[in-house]
Amino acid sequence: MSEQNREFDETAIQSFINPEDMKKLNDEATQVVKKISDTDAHNIDSVLEHLSNFGGNEQRMAGESLNSLRRPVKDMMDNKDNHDIPTNLLKLREAVSDLNPNAYQTKGIAKIVPKFLRKSSNEKFIAKYQTVEKNIDEIVQSLLRGRDMLQEDNAELDVIKKDVHEKIYLLDKQIYMGQHLFQMIEDKKNDPEWQNKQQLVMEAQEKIIVRTKNMSSMVNVLQQSLASVDIIKKNNDKLKEAIRNAIDTTKNLAPVTSAIHLALQNQERIIT
């Protein structure tokens, strides 16, 4: 088998093409071979031009699909796709920690101030709780907006992913056609009636190889882009889960913490 022929393996991609499309591609390849058979020296250029451009529209559309991925992938690399969610999660944690009862114990110089002049620990805690509660509500609303934006991002990524899969299939069809056409020409080139077409055969096969390789490279790039989409979606899902967990915990933790603190203060006042 020739070096060129070893580079083409129809079975590697044939299984991805549905039978109806494969029949159309085989018919198209047959028409190209017939055109080569009928071509004389005056029509060589038109045949070669056709082979130079086959799959060109599919590759162009694939490039447009790649362009649609630039924004979400760039945002991921620049860390702009998280809608300030990590920052707000940290703020939420800090806000909840402000409800630590130990923060409201009388310390330092306040201890020497007469008791009747001091604000009670409960009063300070209630005032602080009201401030913190308002702050928590604002952070939670921001997180919920961020979660909604993540859902919109994932919906957009699903559309992009579907489009990329469609473009890969279109390229796969053209790659299969190139492989099949190459083999058909290889099988015909030793026929007696083709002996005066060896130059055309060689140039035709070279152009098929170039176009098929270029389209295969585009498929590889598209597949890498799909991996990037999956990573972005996975990270978005993790952020959504972190938001849900943080909000659910905060809703319970803040009121319970305040209730426990006030109850303990009341007990201490009764006991003492």
Side-chain angles (χ1 to χ4, degrees):
M1 184 182 294
S2 69
E3 181 66 21
Q4 286 180 330
N5 212 14
R6 282 197 296 269
E7 295 178 352
F8 283 74
D9 180 10
E10 291 181 39
T11 60
I13 198 170
Q14 186 172 345
S15 59
F16 298 110
I17 311 300
N18 71 54
E20 184 179 350
D21 286 338
M22 191 176 296
K23 182 180 183 306
K24 292 178 180 178
L25 294 168
N26 290 343
D27 290 344
E28 185 176 346
T30 300
Q31 289 299 316
V32 174
V33 171
K34 184 177 184 303
K35 192 171 184 179
I36 293 174
S37 295
D38 297 341
T39 297
D40 56 28
H42 301 292
N43 298 322
I44 289 178
D45 289 342
S46 64
V47 173
L48 295 178
E49 183 178 1
H50 173 77
L51 293 175
S52 295
N53 295 320
F54 95 87
N57 288 334
E58 287 78 5
Q59 190 167 345
R60 177 184 54 77
M61 290 189 293
E64 292 172 356
S65 293
L66 280 176
N67 191 54
S68 69
L69 274 169
R70 289 177 60 185
R71 197 274 305 166
V73 172
K74 185 177 185 300
D75 285 351
M76 180 186 70
M77 294 175 63
D78 295 341
N79 200 30
K80 293 179 180 177
D81 64 331
N82 52 37
H83 308 297
D84 295 323
I85 291 170
T87 300
N88 284 324
L89 288 172
L90 181 59
K91 287 180 179 178
L92 187 61
R93 181 182 300 176
E94 291 172 347
V96 173
S97 69
D98 285 344
L99 296 177
N100 183 356
N102 293 330
Y104 305 96
Q105 294 179 354
T106 304
K107 297 179 181 179
I109 194 170
K111 285 187 175 181
I112 66 175
V113 177
K115 258 188 173 183
F116 68 89
L117 293 178
R118 301 182 209 156
K119 278 190 175 181
S120 71
S121 177
N122 281 1
E123 289 175 336
K124 289 190 291 185
F125 184 84
I126 291 172
K128 183 66 175 177
Y129 178 79
Q130 291 172 342
T131 301
V132 170
E133 184 179 38
K134 181 180 179 182
N135 188 29
I136 288 175
D137 286 342
E138 291 175 353
I139 297 171
V140 166
Q141 289 305 312
S142 180
L143 285 171
L144 290 174
R145 288 193 295 272
R147 182 199 61 187
D148 292 342
M149 294 179 75
L150 288 175
Q151 291 173 339
E152 291 178 6
D153 288 347
N154 276 0
E156 178 185 353
L157 290 171
D158 283 336
V159 172
I160 293 174
K161 190 172 180 178
K162 180 182 178 182
D163 181 63
V164 170
H165 276 298
E166 290 173 354
K167 297 306 186 293
I168 288 176
Y169 181 72
L170 292 177
L171 287 171
D172 280 344
K173 289 199 300 182
Q174 294 301 309
I175 292 169
Y176 164 78
M177 206 274 281
Q179 293 171 340
H180 185 61
L181 178 57
F182 181 94
Q183 188 58 52
M184 290 181 71
I185 294 173
E186 183 75 11
D187 293 340
K188 289 281 292 181
K189 71 179 184 180
N190 292 324
D191 288 359
E193 61 269 24
W194 277 47
Q195 292 309 300
N196 62 342
K197 301 179 184 293
Q198 293 305 302
Q199 183 64 30
L200 172 58
V201 167
M202 183 183 69
E203 292 186 37
Q205 288 186 313
E206 286 178 354
K207 289 185 181 299
I208 293 169
I209 289 173
V210 170
R211 290 298 304 129
T212 305
K213 282 186 174 181
N214 288 343
M215 287 187 288
S216 296
S217 296
M218 179 62 80
V219 168
N220 289 335
V221 174
L222 289 171
Q223 289 173 337
Q224 290 171 12
S225 74
L226 288 176
S228 298
V229 168
D230 288 338
I231 292 172
I232 297 172
K233 288 190 63 181
K234 185 176 181 180
N235 289 340
N236 286 349
D237 288 339
K238 286 181 179 179
L239 285 172
K240 288 194 295 182
E241 179 59 28
I243 290 171
R244 182 175 69 175
N245 183 61
I247 291 176
D248 289 345
T249 301
T250 302
K251 283 181 179 177
N252 295 310
L253 181 60
V256 169
T257 299
S258 63
I260 292 173
H261 172 75
L262 294 174
L264 290 174
Q265 287 295 313
N266 289 333
Q267 282 186 336
E268 182 179 350
R269 186 169 63 253
I270 293 170
I271 293 171
T272 57

mmCIF file with all atom_site columns, all heavy atoms in Angstrom, residues 24 95 120 199:
data_model
loop_
_atom_site.group_PDB
_atom_site.id
_atom_site.type_symbol
_atom_site.label_atom_id
_atom_site.label_alt_id
_atom_site.label_comp_id
_atom_site.label_asym_id
_atom_site.label_entity_id
_atom_site.label_seq_id
_atom_site.pdbx_PDB_ins_code
_atom_site.Cartn_x
_atom_site.Cartn_y
_atom_site.Cartn_z
_atom_site.occupancy
_atom_site.B_iso_or_equiv
_atom_site.pdbx_formal_charge
_atom_site.auth_seq_id
_atom_site.auth_comp_id
_atom_site.auth_asym_id
_atom_site.auth_atom_id
_atom_site.pdbx_PDB_model_num
ATOM 1  N N   . LYS A 1 24  ? -25.533 9.454  -0.352  1.00 0.00 ? 24  LYS A N   1
ATOM 2  C CA  . LYS A 1 24  ? -25.368 10.703 -1.103  1.00 0.00 ? 24  LYS A CA  1
ATOM 3  C C   . LYS A 1 24  ? -23.888 11.022 -1.318  1.00 0.00 ? 24  LYS A C   1
ATOM 4  O O   . LYS A 1 24  ? -23.477 11.464 -2.399  1.00 0.00 ? 24  LYS A O   1
ATOM 5  C CB  . LYS A 1 24  ? -26.039 11.851 -0.352  1.00 0.00 ? 24  LYS A CB  1
ATOM 6  C CG  . LYS A 1 24  ? -27.559 11.746 -0.307  1.00 0.00 ? 24  LYS A CG  1
ATOM 7  C CD  . LYS A 1 24  ? -28.150 12.910 0.493   1.00 0.00 ? 24  LYS A CD  1
ATOM 8  C CE  . LYS A 1 24  ? -29.665 12.806 0.543   1.00 0.00 ? 24  LYS A CE  1
ATOM 9  N NZ  . LYS A 1 24  ? -30.260 13.903 1.352   1.00 0.00 ? 24  LYS A NZ  1
ATOM 10 N N   . ALA A 1 95  ? -20.306 37.719 57.101  1.00 0.00 ? 95  ALA A N   1
ATOM 11 C CA  . ALA A 1 95  ? -21.475 38.330 57.733  1.00 0.00 ? 95  ALA A CA  1
ATOM 12 C C   . ALA A 1 95  ? -22.045 37.433 58.820  1.00 0.00 ? 95  ALA A C   1
ATOM 13 O O   . ALA A 1 95  ? -22.415 37.901 59.903  1.00 0.00 ? 95  ALA A O   1
ATOM 14 C CB  . ALA A 1 95  ? -22.544 38.615 56.672  1.00 0.00 ? 95  ALA A CB  1
ATOM 15 N N   . SER A 1 120 ? -26.672 46.862 77.301  1.00 0.00 ? 120 SER A N   1
ATOM 16 C CA  . SER A 1 120 ? -26.635 45.435 77.606  1.00 0.00 ? 120 SER A CA  1
ATOM 17 C C   . SER A 1 120 ? -26.128 44.660 76.397  1.00 0.00 ? 120 SER A C   1
ATOM 18 O O   . SER A 1 120 ? -26.221 45.113 75.262  1.00 0.00 ? 120 SER A O   1
ATOM 19 C CB  . SER A 1 120 ? -28.032 44.938 77.989  1.00 0.00 ? 120 SER A CB  1
ATOM 20 O OG  . SER A 1 120 ? -28.861 44.921 76.840  1.00 0.00 ? 120 SER A OG  1
ATOM 21 N N   . GLN A 1 199 ? -0.931  12.554 -14.194 1.00 0.00 ? 199 GLN A N   1
ATOM 22 C CA  . GLN A 1 199 ? -0.638  13.853 -13.594 1.00 0.00 ? 199 GLN A CA  1
ATOM 23 C C   . GLN A 1 199 ? -1.872  14.399 -12.873 1.00 0.00 ? 199 GLN A C   1
ATOM 24 O O   . GLN A 1 199 ? -1.790  14.904 -11.750 1.00 0.00 ? 199 GLN A O   1
ATOM 25 C CB  . GLN A 1 199 ? -0.163  14.848 -14.654 1.00 0.00 ? 199 GLN A CB  1
ATOM 26 C CG  . GLN A 1 199 ? 0.226   16.220 -14.118 1.00 0.00 ? 199 GLN A CG  1
ATOM 27 C CD  . GLN A 1 199 ? 1.430   16.160 -13.179 1.00 0.00 ? 199 GLN A CD  1
ATOM 28 O OE1 . GLN A 1 199 ? 2.293   15.296 -13.317 1.00 0.00 ? 199 GLN A OE1 1
ATOM 29 N NE2 . GLN A 1 199 ? 1.483   17.099 -12.227 1.00 0.00 ? 199 GLN A NE2 1
#
